[in-house]
């Protein structure tokens, strides 16, 4: 019995993950500008997939994930800086 070869990406019938919930969460909770970029890419994933642009859909998915991570990291960095600035000012 022959087995099909393993695939490296998503199946041809299902689009890659759009990361939209993560993009929205990082926009609201972390860093607005980077989160908006993530939302824009996330919104392109399914439409590109349905149009037959599978490579573009995968690229948009990867970009949405990257920008959501950037937004989360920037939010943590700003939060840490704010914390230390508040401590340095006596907590007020």
């Amino acid at each position: 019995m022959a087995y099909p070869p393993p695939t490296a990406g998503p199946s041809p019938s299902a689009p890659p993950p759009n990361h939209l919930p993560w993009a929205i969460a990082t926009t609201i909770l972390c860093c607005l500008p980077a989160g908006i970029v993530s939302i824009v890419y996330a919104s392109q994933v399914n439409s590109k997939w349905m149009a037959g642009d599978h490579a573009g859909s995968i690229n948009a998915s990867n970009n949405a994930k990257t920008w959501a991570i950037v937004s989360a990291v920037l939010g943590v960095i700003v939060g840490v800086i704010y914390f230390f600035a508040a401590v340095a000012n006596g907590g007020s």
Side-chain angles (χ1 to χ4, degrees):
M1 175 179 218
Y3 294 101
T7 58
S11 67
S13 61
N18 60 18
H19 306 288
L20 188 59
W22 193 17
I24 293 170
T26 57
T27 301
I28 294 170
L29 301 174
C30 299
C31 179
L32 185 65
I36 290 173
V37 174
S38 180
I39 289 174
V40 169
Y41 280 119
S43 67
Q44 295 175 355
V45 173
N46 292 341
S47 60
K48 286 186 177 196
W49 187 266
M50 296 304 287
D53 183 9
H54 294 188
S57 178
I58 292 168
N59 188 34
S61 174
N62 291 336
N63 284 336
K65 181 179 178 181
T66 299
W67 281 102
I69 291 170
V70 167
S71 178
V73 169
L74 287 174
V76 168
I77 290 171
V78 168
V80 168
I81 291 171
Y82 181 78
F83 172 77
F84 284 116
V87 169
N89 286 330
S92 52

